């Protein structure tokens, strides 16, 4: 199924929204509860599944919905369709401060994007969403955010939400090491793994966590500066200050160790 062609505009700075303009009978799918406003003529319907396979049976839709529950998402998705005459607009808001990243899947390797499980916001009808388990042993035991990923496939526009600022990097047979929670997404040509952060002193006293995500190969990678997990940690009472003070004391003790 070919994706619907949709026009869009990103509005805002810190907490962004995406405004999508639909021609008659065009449809956009979105996470439940993300709609901000819709003009007269737009109708919505909550469905089980993303609608990319209209002939899919009930069992197939149930399995797809079940995979969304594993990813921590809602069992259902909302389909917004322009049933009016002429163009109509519908807008979706980001769930927390950050950046909405528009990606044309037609320009992505294999028409596929691998993203963190909570990164998907909305997309043109025809986009297929499925679960992808990271098979790497390190990611399975230590990856946290990186163990269960979401595969987004299609040939149209998809909108991904990231925390803070988004950086796009293109790897050319290179390796990039990133905080495990800061990887937004990557092309399937890039290998993703979680590895030990370094020597004993770096792991215990470095303050960067025990493990880092390792991205290796050739392809595009998107990185977020402030994932929601880190934001919640910093906003918790004494979270940032306690870490800073602890890092100072432990940093001095760390001089007693060698890598």
């Amino acid at each position: 199924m070919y994706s619907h062609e949709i026009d869009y505009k990103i509005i805002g700075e810190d907490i962004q929204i995406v405004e999508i303009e639909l021609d008659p009978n065009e449809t956009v799918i979105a996470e439940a509860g993300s709609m901000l406003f819709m003009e007269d003529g737009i109708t919505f319907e909550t469905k089980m599944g993303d609608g990319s396979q209209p002939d899919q049976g009930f069992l197939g839709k149930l399995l797809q919905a079940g995979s969304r529950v594993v990813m921590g998402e809602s069992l259902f998705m909302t389909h917004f369709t322009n049933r009016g005459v002429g163009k109509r607009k519908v807008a979706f808001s980001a769930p927390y401060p950050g950046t909405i990243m528009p990606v044309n899947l037609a320009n992505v390797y294999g028409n596929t994007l691998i993203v963190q499980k909570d990164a998907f916001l909305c997309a043109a009808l025809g986009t297929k969403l499925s679960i992808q388990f990271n098979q790497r042993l390190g990611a399975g035991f230590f990856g946290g955010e990186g163990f269960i990923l979401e595969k987004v496939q299609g040939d149209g526009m998809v909108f991904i939400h990231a925390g803070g600022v988004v950086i796009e990097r293109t790897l050319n047979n290179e390796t990039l090491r990133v905080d495990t929670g800061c990887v937004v997404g990557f092309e399937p040509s890039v290998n993703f793994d979680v590895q030990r952060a370094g020597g004993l002193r770096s792991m215990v006293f470095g303050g960067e966590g025990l493990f880092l995500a390792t991205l290796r190969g050739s392809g595009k990678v998107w990185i977020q500066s402030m994932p929601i997990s880190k934001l919640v940690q910093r906003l918790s009472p004494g979270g940032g200050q306690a870490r800073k003070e602890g890092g100072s004391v432990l940093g001095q003790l760390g001089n007693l160790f060698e890598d």
Side-chain angles (χ1 to χ4, degrees):
M1 177 179 178
Y2 291 106
S3 300
H4 288 193
E5 295 183 10
I6 58 176
D7 299 315
Y8 70 92
K9 179 170 62 174
I10 305 294
I11 302 173
E13 297 292 337
D14 297 326
I15 303 180
Q16 296 184 327
I17 70 171
V18 54
E19 183 183 82
I20 296 177
E21 186 176 71
L22 299 175
D23 291 330
N25 297 317
E26 281 187 341
T27 300
V28 61
I29 61 174
E31 288 292 352
S34 61
M35 190 273 292
L36 178 63
F37 71 80
M38 57 183 180
E39 294 182 342
D40 188 34
I42 300 285
T43 64
F44 67 93
E45 185 178 1
T46 300
K47 296 184 178 182
M48 188 180 295
D50 52 39
S52 61
Q53 298 172 285
D55 298 327
Q56 187 181 42
F58 175 78
L59 182 58
K61 293 179 180 178
L62 185 62
L63 290 174
Q64 186 184 54
S67 69
R68 289 178 51 76
V69 174
V70 173
M71 290 185 290
E73 305 289 3
S74 170
L75 184 66
F76 300 95
M77 297 196 70
T78 309
H79 296 226
F80 296 85
T81 304
N82 180 6
R83 301 298 186 190
V85 178
K87 297 177 181 295
R88 295 290 187 271
K89 295 177 180 179
V90 57
F92 304 94
S93 60
Y96 52 88
T99 304
I100 295 177
M101 185 177 76
V103 179
N104 188 347
L105 292 175
N107 299 329
V108 175
Y109 178 86
N111 298 139
T112 300
L113 188 65
I114 310 298
V115 300
Q116 291 285 5
K117 59 185 179 181
D118 61 348
F120 173 80
L121 181 62
C122 60
L125 179 65
T127 303
K128 181 180 179 180
L129 305 174
S130 59
I131 191 171
Q132 172 157 321
F133 288 103
N134 194 314
Q135 300 299 318
R136 299 280 187 166
L137 181 64
F141 281 101
F142 308 111
E145 299 94 333
F147 180 44
I148 300 178
L149 302 168
E150 190 168 21
K151 181 188 294 184
V152 185
Q153 298 171 288
D155 60 2
M157 294 300 304
V158 60
F159 300 90
I160 303 300
H161 181 256
V165 177
V166 174
I167 301 172
E168 179 181 312
R169 293 285 301 268
T170 299
L171 303 183
N172 183 15
N173 196 26
E174 297 172 294
T175 297
L176 187 66
R177 307 186 78 186
V178 186
D179 184 307
T180 52
C182 292
V183 178
V184 181
F186 50 91
E187 292 182 317
S189 56
V190 176
N191 293 320
F192 176 88
D193 192 13
V194 176
Q195 298 180 348
R196 196 179 70 173
L200 177 62
R201 185 175 66 181
S202 297
M203 292 178 65
V204 176
F205 303 107
E208 302 302 332
L210 300 181
F211 299 90
L212 294 174
T214 301
L215 300 155
R216 182 180 290 110
S218 298
K220 292 182 179 179
V221 173
W222 290 269
I223 303 168
Q224 57 187 345
S225 64
M226 183 59 70
I228 184 62
S229 57
K230 185 177 291 187
L231 178 63
V232 170
Q233 180 186 24
R234 291 303 178 94
L235 292 179
S236 63
Q241 185 64 25
R243 178 175 179 177
K244 186 179 297 183
E245 293 175 354
S248 177
V249 175
L250 292 177
Q252 294 178 9
L253 293 176
N255 292 327
L256 300 176
F257 293 83
E258 292 184 1
D259 290 333

